[in-house]
Short mmCIF file of all heavy atoms in Angstrom, two decimals:
data_model
loop_
_atom_site.label_atom_id
_atom_site.label_comp_id
_atom_site.label_asym_id
_atom_site.label_seq_id
_atom_site.Cartn_x
_atom_site.Cartn_y
_atom_site.Cartn_z
N THR D 998 -40.99 21.49 -0.13
CA THR D 998 -41.81 20.28 -0.05
C THR D 998 -43.04 20.41 -0.96
O THR D 998 -43.47 21.53 -1.22
CB THR D 998 -42.26 19.96 1.43
OG1 THR D 998 -43.02 21.12 1.83
CG2 THR D 998 -41.07 19.80 2.32
N PRO D 999 -43.59 19.30 -1.36
CA PRO D 999 -44.87 19.35 -2.16
C PRO D 999 -46.03 19.67 -1.27
O PRO D 999 -46.15 19.12 -0.22
CB PRO D 999 -44.95 18.01 -2.81
CG PRO D 999 -44.21 17.13 -1.93
CD PRO D 999 -43.12 17.93 -1.31
N TYR D 1000 -46.94 20.50 -1.77
CA TYR D 1000 -48.22 20.79 -1.06
C TYR D 1000 -49.39 20.46 -1.97
O TYR D 1000 -49.33 20.57 -3.22
CB TYR D 1000 -48.26 22.29 -0.75
CG TYR D 1000 -47.36 22.79 0.31
CD1 TYR D 1000 -46.02 23.03 0.07
CD2 TYR D 1000 -47.81 23.09 1.64
CE1 TYR D 1000 -45.16 23.55 1.04
CE2 TYR D 1000 -47.03 23.57 2.63
CZ TYR D 1000 -45.68 23.78 2.33
OH TYR D 1000 -44.84 24.25 3.32
N ILE D 1001 -50.47 19.98 -1.36
CA ILE D 1001 -51.74 19.85 -2.03
C ILE D 1001 -52.49 21.13 -1.95
O ILE D 1001 -52.88 21.49 -0.92
CB ILE D 1001 -52.54 18.62 -1.43
CG1 ILE D 1001 -51.78 17.36 -1.48
CG2 ILE D 1001 -53.88 18.52 -2.17
CD1 ILE D 1001 -52.47 16.19 -0.93
N ILE D 1002 -52.64 21.80 -3.13
CA ILE D 1002 -53.23 23.10 -3.17
C ILE D 1002 -54.65 23.02 -3.74
O ILE D 1002 -54.85 22.43 -4.82
CB ILE D 1002 -52.37 24.02 -4.09
CG1 ILE D 1002 -50.94 24.14 -3.56
CG2 ILE D 1002 -53.01 25.42 -4.12
CD1 ILE D 1002 -50.87 24.76 -2.14
N SER D 1003 -55.62 23.60 -3.03
CA SER D 1003 -56.97 23.71 -3.52
C SER D 1003 -57.11 25.07 -4.23
O SER D 1003 -56.89 26.06 -3.66
CB SER D 1003 -58.01 23.66 -2.39
OG SER D 1003 -57.80 22.46 -1.67
N ALA D 1004 -57.56 25.02 -5.55
CA ALA D 1004 -57.61 26.26 -6.32
C ALA D 1004 -58.81 26.12 -7.24
O ALA D 1004 -59.17 25.01 -7.69
CB ALA D 1004 -56.33 26.51 -7.02
N PRO D 1005 -59.32 27.26 -7.70
CA PRO D 1005 -60.45 27.30 -8.69
C PRO D 1005 -59.93 26.91 -10.09
O PRO D 1005 -58.79 27.18 -10.39
CB PRO D 1005 -60.98 28.68 -8.59
CG PRO D 1005 -59.83 29.48 -8.14
CD PRO D 1005 -59.02 28.65 -7.24
N PHE D 1006 -60.81 26.39 -10.87
CA PHE D 1006 -60.55 26.16 -12.29
C PHE D 1006 -61.82 26.15 -13.06
O PHE D 1006 -62.94 26.17 -12.48
CB PHE D 1006 -59.82 24.77 -12.44
CG PHE D 1006 -60.72 23.59 -12.35
CD1 PHE D 1006 -61.09 22.84 -13.41
CD2 PHE D 1006 -61.33 23.22 -11.08
CE1 PHE D 1006 -61.92 21.70 -13.28
CE2 PHE D 1006 -62.15 22.15 -10.93
CZ PHE D 1006 -62.44 21.34 -12.09
N ASN D 1007 -61.69 26.24 -14.38
CA ASN D 1007 -62.93 26.30 -15.30
C ASN D 1007 -63.40 24.94 -15.67
O ASN D 1007 -62.56 24.11 -16.02
CB ASN D 1007 -62.61 27.16 -16.44
CG ASN D 1007 -62.57 28.62 -16.16
OD1 ASN D 1007 -61.48 29.19 -16.29
ND2 ASN D 1007 -63.60 29.24 -15.73
N ILE D 1008 -64.66 24.70 -15.71
CA ILE D 1008 -65.29 23.48 -16.14
C ILE D 1008 -66.68 23.78 -16.61
O ILE D 1008 -67.29 24.74 -16.15
CB ILE D 1008 -65.27 22.42 -15.01
CG1 ILE D 1008 -65.67 21.01 -15.60
CG2 ILE D 1008 -66.13 22.83 -13.88
CD1 ILE D 1008 -65.54 19.95 -14.57
N SER D 1009 -67.24 22.99 -17.54
CA SER D 1009 -68.61 23.19 -17.96
C SER D 1009 -69.56 22.53 -17.03
O SER D 1009 -69.18 21.79 -16.17
CB SER D 1009 -68.74 22.66 -19.44
OG SER D 1009 -68.50 21.26 -19.36
N GLY D 1010 -70.82 22.92 -17.13
CA GLY D 1010 -71.85 22.33 -16.22
C GLY D 1010 -73.27 22.70 -16.74
O GLY D 1010 -73.37 23.33 -17.81
N ARG D 1011 -74.23 22.36 -15.95
CA ARG D 1011 -75.59 22.64 -16.32
C ARG D 1011 -76.36 22.80 -15.02
O ARG D 1011 -76.04 22.32 -13.91
CB ARG D 1011 -76.20 21.49 -17.16
CG ARG D 1011 -76.16 20.18 -16.51
CD ARG D 1011 -77.51 19.40 -16.60
NE ARG D 1011 -77.45 18.27 -15.77
CZ ARG D 1011 -78.20 18.01 -14.74
NH1 ARG D 1011 -79.00 18.96 -14.32
NH2 ARG D 1011 -78.21 16.90 -14.08
N LEU D 1012 -77.51 23.55 -15.14
CA LEU D 1012 -78.36 23.92 -14.04
C LEU D 1012 -79.77 24.03 -14.49
O LEU D 1012 -80.03 24.72 -15.45
CB LEU D 1012 -77.88 25.17 -13.34
CG LEU D 1012 -78.64 25.73 -12.19
CD1 LEU D 1012 -78.48 24.84 -10.94
CD2 LEU D 1012 -78.21 27.20 -11.89
N GLY D 1013 -80.69 23.38 -13.83
CA GLY D 1013 -82.12 23.47 -14.26
C GLY D 1013 -82.98 23.33 -13.01
O GLY D 1013 -82.58 22.77 -11.99
N GLY D 1014 -84.22 23.84 -13.12
CA GLY D 1014 -85.15 23.71 -12.00
C GLY D 1014 -86.49 24.33 -12.28
O GLY D 1014 -86.82 24.73 -13.40
N VAL D 1015 -87.28 24.38 -11.21
CA VAL D 1015 -88.64 24.87 -11.24
C VAL D 1015 -88.92 25.72 -10.01
O VAL D 1015 -88.45 25.38 -8.96
CB VAL D 1015 -89.66 23.75 -11.45
CG1 VAL D 1015 -89.57 22.71 -10.28
CG2 VAL D 1015 -91.05 24.31 -11.61
N GLU D 1016 -89.68 26.75 -10.20
CA GLU D 1016 -90.06 27.64 -9.04
C GLU D 1016 -91.55 27.84 -9.08
O GLU D 1016 -92.15 28.06 -10.16
CB GLU D 1016 -89.37 29.00 -9.15
CG GLU D 1016 -89.80 29.94 -7.98
CD GLU D 1016 -89.10 31.30 -8.04
OE1 GLU D 1016 -88.71 31.61 -9.18
OE2 GLU D 1016 -89.09 31.97 -7.07
N ILE D 1017 -92.14 27.76 -7.88
CA ILE D 1017 -93.59 27.92 -7.72
C ILE D 1017 -93.81 29.07 -6.68
O ILE D 1017 -93.16 29.07 -5.59
CB ILE D 1017 -94.34 26.65 -7.23
CG1 ILE D 1017 -94.17 25.56 -8.27
CG2 ILE D 1017 -95.82 26.95 -7.01
CD1 ILE D 1017 -94.68 24.19 -7.88
N GLN D 1018 -94.70 30.03 -6.97
CA GLN D 1018 -94.97 31.08 -6.02
C GLN D 1018 -96.47 31.38 -5.96
O GLN D 1018 -97.20 31.15 -6.85
CB GLN D 1018 -94.28 32.38 -6.37
CG GLN D 1018 -94.55 32.89 -7.76
CD GLN D 1018 -93.82 34.24 -8.06
OE1 GLN D 1018 -93.77 35.16 -7.23
NE2 GLN D 1018 -93.21 34.34 -9.21
N TRP D 1019 -96.87 31.83 -4.74
CA TRP D 1019 -98.29 32.06 -4.48
C TRP D 1019 -98.40 33.28 -3.56
O TRP D 1019 -97.77 33.34 -2.57
CB TRP D 1019 -98.96 30.85 -3.83
CG TRP D 1019 -100.40 30.96 -3.50
CD1 TRP D 1019 -101.31 31.81 -3.99
CD2 TRP D 1019 -101.17 30.13 -2.58
NE1 TRP D 1019 -102.55 31.64 -3.47
CE2 TRP D 1019 -102.51 30.63 -2.63
CE3 TRP D 1019 -100.82 29.06 -1.77
CZ2 TRP D 1019 -103.45 29.98 -1.87
CZ3 TRP D 1019 -101.81 28.49 -0.98
CH2 TRP D 1019 -103.16 28.94 -1.04
N GLN D 1020 -99.25 34.27 -3.99
CA GLN D 1020 -99.47 35.40 -3.12
C GLN D 1020 -100.98 35.50 -2.94
O GLN D 1020 -101.77 35.52 -3.91
CB GLN D 1020 -98.99 36.69 -3.79
CG GLN D 1020 -99.24 37.96 -3.00
CD GLN D 1020 -98.55 39.20 -3.51
OE1 GLN D 1020 -97.34 39.12 -3.84
NE2 GLN D 1020 -99.27 40.27 -3.63
N GLN D 1021 -101.44 35.65 -1.63
CA GLN D 1021 -102.86 35.59 -1.40
C GLN D 1021 -103.24 36.44 -0.21
O GLN D 1021 -102.84 36.31 0.89
CB GLN D 1021 -103.27 34.18 -1.00
CG GLN D 1021 -104.69 33.97 -0.55
CD GLN D 1021 -105.65 34.29 -1.63
OE1 GLN D 1021 -105.64 33.63 -2.68
NE2 GLN D 1021 -106.48 35.31 -1.45
N PRO D 1022 -103.96 37.59 -0.51
CA PRO D 1022 -104.56 38.35 0.60
C PRO D 1022 -105.71 37.63 1.23
O PRO D 1022 -106.51 36.98 0.55
CB PRO D 1022 -104.99 39.65 -0.12
CG PRO D 1022 -105.29 39.23 -1.53
CD PRO D 1022 -104.31 38.11 -1.85
N ILE D 1023 -105.76 37.64 2.59
CA ILE D 1023 -106.89 36.96 3.31
C ILE D 1023 -108.03 37.87 3.61
O ILE D 1023 -109.18 37.51 3.57
CB ILE D 1023 -106.32 36.38 4.57
CG1 ILE D 1023 -105.17 35.36 4.22
CG2 ILE D 1023 -107.43 35.69 5.40
CD1 ILE D 1023 -104.52 34.84 5.47
N GLY D 1024 -107.70 39.17 3.92
CA GLY D 1024 -108.75 40.14 4.28
C GLY D 1024 -108.37 40.96 5.44
O GLY D 1024 -107.47 40.47 6.28
N TRP D 1025 -108.97 42.04 5.68
CA TRP D 1025 -108.67 42.99 6.80
C TRP D 1025 -107.19 43.37 6.87
O TRP D 1025 -106.64 43.54 7.97
CB TRP D 1025 -109.11 42.31 8.10
CG TRP D 1025 -110.51 41.88 8.07
CD1 TRP D 1025 -111.64 42.66 8.23
CD2 TRP D 1025 -111.04 40.53 7.88
NE1 TRP D 1025 -112.81 41.92 8.09
CE2 TRP D 1025 -112.47 40.59 7.94
CE3 TRP D 1025 -110.38 39.34 7.69
CZ2 TRP D 1025 -113.23 39.48 7.77
CZ3 TRP D 1025 -111.19 38.18 7.52
CH2 TRP D 1025 -112.57 38.30 7.57
N GLY D 1026 -106.50 43.30 5.75
CA GLY D 1026 -105.12 43.74 5.73
C GLY D 1026 -104.12 42.59 5.83
O GLY D 1026 -102.89 42.77 5.65
N PHE D 1027 -104.61 41.35 6.10
CA PHE D 1027 -103.78 40.23 6.29
C PHE D 1027 -103.55 39.51 4.97
O PHE D 1027 -104.41 39.57 4.05
CB PHE D 1027 -104.36 39.23 7.30
CG PHE D 1027 -104.32 39.78 8.65
CD1 PHE D 1027 -105.43 40.37 9.30
CD2 PHE D 1027 -103.13 39.67 9.53
CE1 PHE D 1027 -105.41 40.84 10.56
CE2 PHE D 1027 -103.21 40.15 10.77
CZ PHE D 1027 -104.29 40.77 11.33
N GLY D 1028 -102.45 38.81 4.84
CA GLY D 1028 -102.21 38.02 3.66
C GLY D 1028 -100.96 37.22 3.85
O GLY D 1028 -100.26 37.23 4.83
N PHE D 1029 -100.57 36.40 2.85
CA PHE D 1029 -99.37 35.66 2.88
C PHE D 1029 -98.76 35.52 1.50
O PHE D 1029 -99.48 35.64 0.46
CB PHE D 1029 -99.56 34.27 3.54
CG PHE D 1029 -100.36 33.32 2.67
CD1 PHE D 1029 -99.76 32.51 1.68
CD2 PHE D 1029 -101.78 33.25 2.88
CE1 PHE D 1029 -100.56 31.68 0.92
CE2 PHE D 1029 -102.47 32.35 2.14
CZ PHE D 1029 -101.88 31.53 1.13
N GLN D 1030 -97.42 35.24 1.44
CA GLN D 1030 -96.73 34.98 0.26
C GLN D 1030 -95.86 33.68 0.47
O GLN D 1030 -95.37 33.50 1.52
CB GLN D 1030 -95.78 36.14 -0.16
CG GLN D 1030 -96.50 37.42 -0.39
CD GLN D 1030 -95.51 38.60 -0.39
OE1 GLN D 1030 -94.45 38.63 0.16
NE2 GLN D 1030 -95.84 39.63 -1.21
N ALA D 1031 -95.80 32.85 -0.53
CA ALA D 1031 -95.04 31.59 -0.41
C ALA D 1031 -94.37 31.34 -1.77
O ALA D 1031 -94.93 31.57 -2.82
CB ALA D 1031 -95.92 30.46 -0.01
N ASN D 1032 -93.16 30.84 -1.72
CA ASN D 1032 -92.49 30.35 -2.88
C ASN D 1032 -91.52 29.27 -2.57
O ASN D 1032 -91.05 29.13 -1.44
CB ASN D 1032 -91.72 31.53 -3.63
CG ASN D 1032 -90.64 32.06 -2.83
OD1 ASN D 1032 -89.57 31.42 -2.61
ND2 ASN D 1032 -90.80 33.30 -2.33
N GLY D 1033 -91.35 28.38 -3.53
CA GLY D 1033 -90.42 27.25 -3.36
C GLY D 1033 -89.65 26.98 -4.70
O GLY D 1033 -90.24 27.11 -5.77
N THR D 1034 -88.43 26.59 -4.58
CA THR D 1034 -87.62 26.33 -5.78
C THR D 1034 -86.91 25.01 -5.64
O THR D 1034 -86.33 24.69 -4.54
CB THR D 1034 -86.58 27.46 -5.94
OG1 THR D 1034 -87.23 28.69 -6.03
CG2 THR D 1034 -85.79 27.21 -7.29
N TYR D 1035 -86.91 24.23 -6.71
CA TYR D 1035 -86.08 22.95 -6.79
C TYR D 1035 -85.08 23.15 -7.87
O TYR D 1035 -85.47 23.57 -8.97
CB TYR D 1035 -87.06 21.80 -7.13
CG TYR D 1035 -86.29 20.53 -7.43
CD1 TYR D 1035 -85.69 19.73 -6.35
CD2 TYR D 1035 -86.02 20.14 -8.76
CE1 TYR D 1035 -84.96 18.63 -6.66
CE2 TYR D 1035 -85.30 19.00 -9.07
CZ TYR D 1035 -84.77 18.25 -8.04
OH TYR D 1035 -84.03 17.10 -8.31
N VAL D 1036 -83.84 22.86 -7.54
CA VAL D 1036 -82.76 23.01 -8.48
C VAL D 1036 -81.94 21.73 -8.61
O VAL D 1036 -81.64 21.10 -7.58
CB VAL D 1036 -81.79 24.17 -8.07
CG1 VAL D 1036 -80.66 24.30 -8.99
CG2 VAL D 1036 -82.55 25.49 -7.97
N ASP D 1037 -81.61 21.36 -9.80
CA ASP D 1037 -80.79 20.19 -10.07
C ASP D 1037 -79.63 20.66 -10.95
O ASP D 1037 -79.88 21.19 -12.08
CB ASP D 1037 -81.57 19.07 -10.74
CG ASP D 1037 -80.67 17.86 -10.98
OD1 ASP D 1037 -79.83 17.57 -10.16
OD2 ASP D 1037 -80.79 17.21 -12.10
N GLY D 1038 -78.38 20.51 -10.48
CA GLY D 1038 -77.27 21.03 -11.26
C GLY D 1038 -76.01 20.25 -10.92
O GLY D 1038 -75.82 19.76 -9.75
N GLN D 1039 -75.09 20.14 -11.86
CA GLN D 1039 -73.81 19.57 -11.64
C GLN D 1039 -72.84 20.02 -12.69
O GLN D 1039 -73.21 20.47 -13.79
CB GLN D 1039 -73.94 18.08 -11.59
CG GLN D 1039 -74.48 17.42 -12.85
CD GLN D 1039 -74.70 15.88 -12.74
OE1 GLN D 1039 -74.75 15.41 -11.66
NE2 GLN D 1039 -74.83 15.29 -13.85
N ASP D 1040 -71.52 19.85 -12.37
CA ASP D 1040 -70.53 20.19 -13.38
C ASP D 1040 -70.26 18.94 -14.30
O ASP D 1040 -70.88 17.90 -14.11
CB ASP D 1040 -69.24 20.72 -12.73
CG ASP D 1040 -68.56 19.65 -11.88
OD1 ASP D 1040 -68.68 18.44 -12.13
OD2 ASP D 1040 -67.85 20.01 -11.00
N ALA D 1041 -69.37 19.15 -15.27
CA ALA D 1041 -69.14 18.08 -16.21
C ALA D 1041 -68.59 16.82 -15.59
O ALA D 1041 -68.70 15.68 -16.21
CB ALA D 1041 -68.17 18.56 -17.31
N ASP D 1042 -67.98 16.92 -14.44
CA ASP D 1042 -67.54 15.74 -13.71
C ASP D 1042 -68.55 15.05 -12.85
O ASP D 1042 -68.28 14.07 -12.11
CB ASP D 1042 -66.27 16.07 -12.86
CG ASP D 1042 -65.11 16.43 -13.76
OD1 ASP D 1042 -65.03 15.95 -14.93
OD2 ASP D 1042 -64.17 17.13 -13.27
N GLY D 1043 -69.76 15.58 -12.84
CA GLY D 1043 -70.81 15.05 -12.01
C GLY D 1043 -70.81 15.54 -10.57
O GLY D 1043 -71.58 15.03 -9.68
N ASN D 1044 -70.07 16.59 -10.24
CA ASN D 1044 -69.97 17.12 -8.90
C ASN D 1044 -71.00 18.22 -8.75
O ASN D 1044 -71.36 18.94 -9.67
CB ASN D 1044 -68.60 17.67 -8.59
CG ASN D 1044 -67.55 16.64 -8.69
OD1 ASN D 1044 -67.67 15.59 -8.16
ND2 ASN D 1044 -66.43 16.96 -9.42
#
């Protein structure tokens, strides 16, 4: 019988984004680190 098979294949695409990071000691041994990233990407079919 015929089956619908899910399989990997090659396709072109693109990926771009921006990352922001901040490291800040507060004092007396305390501090914090923060980072955030935004990514926009898709393959040639728009997926």
Side-chain angles (χ1 to χ4, degrees):
T998 58
Y1000 288 78
I1001 299 177
I1002 303 297
S1003 303
F1006 75 110
N1007 289 114
I1008 189 173
S1009 61
R1011 56 133 189 115
L1012 176 71
V1015 59
E1016 180 183 18
I1017 299 175
Q1018 58 177 314
W1019 181 18
Q1020 178 173 314
Q1021 175 64 61
I1023 299 174
W1025 305 283
F1027 291 96
F1029 69 86
Q1030 300 169 329
N1032 65 71
T1034 304
Y1035 170 80
V1036 177
D1037 179 39
Q1039 59 185 17
D1040 64 26
D1042 292 336
N1044 300 312

